[in-house]
Amino acid sequence: MEKAQKPIISVRGLKKLYRLGEEKMWALRGVDLDIYPGEFVCIIGRSGSGKSTLLNMIAGLEKPTKGEIIVCGKHLEKMSEKRLVEFRLKHIGFIFQQFNLFAAMTATENVAMPLVYRGIPPKVRKKKSEEMLKRLGLGQHMNHKPSQMSGGQQQRVGIARALVANPPVIFADEPTGNLDSKTSEEILNLMQTVTHDEGHTLVMVTHDPTVATHADRVVTILDGQIVSVIDQRQNKDKQEHKEEETA
């Protein structure tokens, strides 16, 4: 990533206020954050820290109380709900903790859903979906329904669905939360590889520090504010250099 590069996501002075009866709760208290094209950024924090609220804000799923959110050059805070839906269809992919697959549909049909919403012809979307599933190692499961697949396989279908329309930005909310440690490692390595290979920007939310080690940068949030941003690429480069010297 070049520092002169323009951010694909830029957040300034972001605040979110929730009202619970007479009580007021600030979920976000003035967040500034830039995320660059091709980055894998992990937002980490404990339950109630504001990390999921921040993800929802930059994904255009919730409106901020104050501040600006610029994604792919567009101000999300100024958009109507209709325009936000259109924007998400064109620019954003989602990977969920619960997989969110349609039980009555095959893997191919589930992956094709973003293409259906875009009005892609049936033959074209079937071909694109099958190609993506094969790429993610699911060539033998294209006609299987979610109940016929393991958790790891279902999450691979979820990743394929997020990637099939080639969105510039992908958001992942605790994507390995329902998987065992070995499968989680496989899924994280897969996400890291496919997003870097294709130049997608991946923004992931987690509470697990082990999961965060796969990211390029780790943004820690506490009580609605960013308390640290760590660039792990520098540490990885130093480690690789040290290993080369040792060898």
Side-chain angles (χ1 to χ4, degrees):
M1 180 196 73
E2 297 293 333
K3 290 298 181 182
Q5 199 172 20
K6 188 176 180 180
I8 193 168
I9 298 171
S10 186
V11 170
R12 289 293 178 271
L14 195 62
K15 296 183 180 182
K16 182 63 178 180
L17 175 65
Y18 291 110
R19 297 181 185 276
L20 306 173
E22 296 296 317
E23 291 186 39
K24 296 180 180 179
M25 184 188 76
W26 286 99
L28 297 177
R29 301 171 178 269
V31 171
D32 296 332
L33 179 64
D34 287 329
I35 296 173
Y36 293 86
E39 275 198 300
F40 178 1
V41 174
C42 183
I43 301 171
I44 189 169
R46 63 193 184 197
S47 179
S49 62
K51 63 184 186 301
S52 293
T53 300
L54 177 57
L55 184 75
N56 289 340
M57 297 284 107
I58 59 180
L61 297 173
E62 288 188 57
K63 288 280 190 179
T65 303
K66 290 183 179 180
E68 65 177 24
I69 308 161
I70 303 171
V71 181
C72 299
K74 305 294 183 182
H75 278 266
L76 301 196
E77 80 280 1
K78 296 179 180 179
M79 289 187 184
S80 65
E81 188 56 40
K82 181 181 178 181
R83 285 186 63 204
L84 281 170
V85 170
E86 294 171 351
F87 178 86
R88 289 195 295 266
L89 281 174
K90 292 180 180 178
H91 298 91
I92 293 173
F94 292 96
I95 303 171
F96 304 96
Q97 178 179 349
Q98 303 292 342
F99 315 140
N100 286 11
L101 303 178
F102 291 98
M105 291 184 176
T106 65
T108 300
E109 291 168 339
N110 268 287
V111 172
M113 287 310 294
L115 303 177
V116 173
Y117 297 135
R118 287 189 177 198
I120 304 298
K123 287 185 179 180
V124 177
R125 64 184 184 236
K126 184 174 186 292
K127 181 181 178 183
K128 285 181 176 290
S129 300
E130 289 177 347
E131 288 174 350
M132 186 58 68
L133 284 166
K134 288 176 183 177
R135 187 175 169 212
L136 298 189
L138 292 171
Q140 302 298 316
H141 300 278
M142 292 190 292
N143 295 317
H144 288 179
K145 294 180 180 178
S147 62
Q148 298 172 298
M149 294 182 283
S150 68
Q153 289 165 346
Q154 289 183 64
Q155 191 57 291
R156 284 174 181 259
V157 174
I159 295 170
R161 180 183 56 194
L163 293 170
V164 72
N166 197 32
V169 181
I170 297 170
F171 293 107
D173 189 358
E174 299 279 7
T176 60
N178 288 333
L179 305 175
D180 60 69
S181 58
K182 181 177 181 295
T183 306
S184 294
E185 185 74 14
E186 292 173 356
I187 291 296
L188 288 165
N189 287 333
L190 176 64
M191 290 170 63
Q192 190 177 42
T193 299
V194 295
T195 52
H196 281 167
D197 286 353
E198 298 294 331
H200 299 282
T201 301
L202 174 61
V203 183
M204 180 175 68
V205 160
T206 186
H207 68 280
D208 188 345
T210 303
V211 170
T213 60
H214 291 77
D216 298 324
R217 282 195 298 153
V218 178
V219 177
T220 302
I221 189 167
L222 179 66
D223 297 331
Q225 294 179 307
I226 291 175
V227 294
S228 72
V229 179
I230 299 174
D231 191 332
Q232 299 191 134
R233 288 165 295 193
Q234 295 176 358
N235 295 335
K236 289 174 183 176
D237 289 344
K238 288 179 182 177
Q239 181 63 30
E240 289 175 1
H241 183 66
K242 185 176 181 180
E243 289 173 357
E244 288 175 0
E245 287 183 339
T246 304

